[in-house]
């Protein structure tokens, strides 16, 4: 745990949402199970294995001391989350969480829900992906597959996109996505389809074609998408939705599946797509094995 305490003593609490400590990257031996995130004004400590009570207390105290050194008597708010398999235990250990919790990232605002399980409303490792979309969406029609709470859509509209189609099976996530659009001053310009993508090709085709497509599916969500069997299904159909020379971001966040796995899937099932580049993850998400980290690959239609 000393490595964790040492790193906590270096963190800076800025004004924007950010990961502060990324044990999951394997660069800190012995504390690979710990992550610390900053969702202003709340800190989130996450452990992927049980923490004994004294270890948890020492961890919280170390974080609090760093907080007080930087923020003085400002309210200290901390949520602890323990994850094991599909089970999540969440507990407010200090302070409070805003009822309407909004955070900022690169000039955009998003609603966050730290006390509702594993998915908090914004995946922090995808920050660079959202920035890339923001920088390349000007005057484009965008399709946001597996849109979740529509972070990519907000980024696209900020970047001057003509329109965005968001599609996700979760109507609850899309509802938050709509709120995120209003929060950022976009009452129009986006559609929200609460459908199964694999049953909606006709609808998506009618609304297309698109100059930019983002595909950021869950890696293993039964009833929705399982990468080992469903990525091929997606790749067989998605090129037909792209305009000539259109861009597509293909994302995969499955530690057990390599970068080459995704490239081989594209080569086999979408031979008309040409690899352009792999987007870098934010530096804080550095991983001892790049194959285990988030993979975001940019392709173009040949």
């Amino acid at each position: 745990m000393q490595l964790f305490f040492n790193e906590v003593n270096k963190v800076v609490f800025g004004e924007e949402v950010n990961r502060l400590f990324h044990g999951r990257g394997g660069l800190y031996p012995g504390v690979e199970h710990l992550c610390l995130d900053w969702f202003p004004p709340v800190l989130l400590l996450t452990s992927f294995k049980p923490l004994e009570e004294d270890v948890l207390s020492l961890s919280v105290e170390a974080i609090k001391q760093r907080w007080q050194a930087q923020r003085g008597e400002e309210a200290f708010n901390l949520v602890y989350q323990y994850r094991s398999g599909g089970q999540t235990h969440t507990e407010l250990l200090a302070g409070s969480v805003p009822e309407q919790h909004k955070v900022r990232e690169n000039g955009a605002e998003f609603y966050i829900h730290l006390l509702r399980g594993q998915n908090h409303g914004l995946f922090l490792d995808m920050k660079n992906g959202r920035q890339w979309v923001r920088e390349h969406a000007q005057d484009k029609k965008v399709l946001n597959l597996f849109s979740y709470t529509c972070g990519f859509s907000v980024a696209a509209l900020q970047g001057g996109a003509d329109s965005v189609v968001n599609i996700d099976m979760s109507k609850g996530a899309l509802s938050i996505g709509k709120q995120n659009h209003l929060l950022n001053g976009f009452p129009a310009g986006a559609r929200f389809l609460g459908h199964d993508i694999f049953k909606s090709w006709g609808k998506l085709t009618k609304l297309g074609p698109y100059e930019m497509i983002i595909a950021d599916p869950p890696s293993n969500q039964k009833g929705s998408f399982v990468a080992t069997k469903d990525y091929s299904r997606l790749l067989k159909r998605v090129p037909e939705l792209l305009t000539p020379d259109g861009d597509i971001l293909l994302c995969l966040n499955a530690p057990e599946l390599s970068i080459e796995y995704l490239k081989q899937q594209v080569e086999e099932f979408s031979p008309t797509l040409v690899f352009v580049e792999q987007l870098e993850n934010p530096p804080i998400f550095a991983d001892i094995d790049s194959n285990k980290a988030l993979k975001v690959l940019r392709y173009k239609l040949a």
Side-chain angles (χ1 to χ4, degrees), residues 66-165:
R66 180 59 177 171
W67 175 264
Q68 291 175 337
Q70 284 191 46
R71 298 286 185 123
E73 295 304 312
E74 190 175 333
F76 176 65
N77 307 307
L78 186 140
V79 170
Y80 169 64
Q81 188 168 89
Y82 162 55
R83 300 186 190 180
S84 177
Q87 301 299 312
T88 304
H89 167 78
T90 305
E91 185 178 357
L92 178 64
L93 293 185
S96 62
V97 175
E99 186 171 338
Q100 282 200 318
H101 189 177
K102 297 179 287 187
V103 298
R104 293 185 64 82
E105 179 197 78
N106 286 338
E109 288 190 299
F110 301 97
Y111 284 109
I112 299 299
H113 308 88
L114 293 184
L115 301 178
R116 293 190 195 171
Q118 293 188 17
N119 297 330
H120 308 122
L122 191 69
F123 294 113
L124 303 187
D125 54 355
M126 193 55 84
K127 179 179 180 179
N128 290 357
R130 288 185 287 272
Q131 182 61 26
W132 185 91
V133 168
R134 188 178 289 109
E135 292 171 353
H136 294 84
Q138 181 74 42
D139 300 326
K140 292 181 178 178
K141 183 183 289 187
V142 179
L143 174 60
N144 186 19
L145 300 171
F146 311 97
S147 58
Y148 186 45
T149 57
C150 307
F152 279 119
S153 182
V154 169
L157 291 172
Q158 284 185 316
D162 276 348
S163 63
V164 185
V165 174

Side-chain angles (χ1 to χ4, degrees), residues 265-281:
Q265 290 278 292
V266 176
E267 185 176 342
E268 181 176 356
F269 298 105
S270 288
T272 57
L273 294 180
V274 177
F275 177 74
V276 179
E277 62 179 328
Q278 180 176 358
L279 272 59
E280 295 289 336
N281 293 329

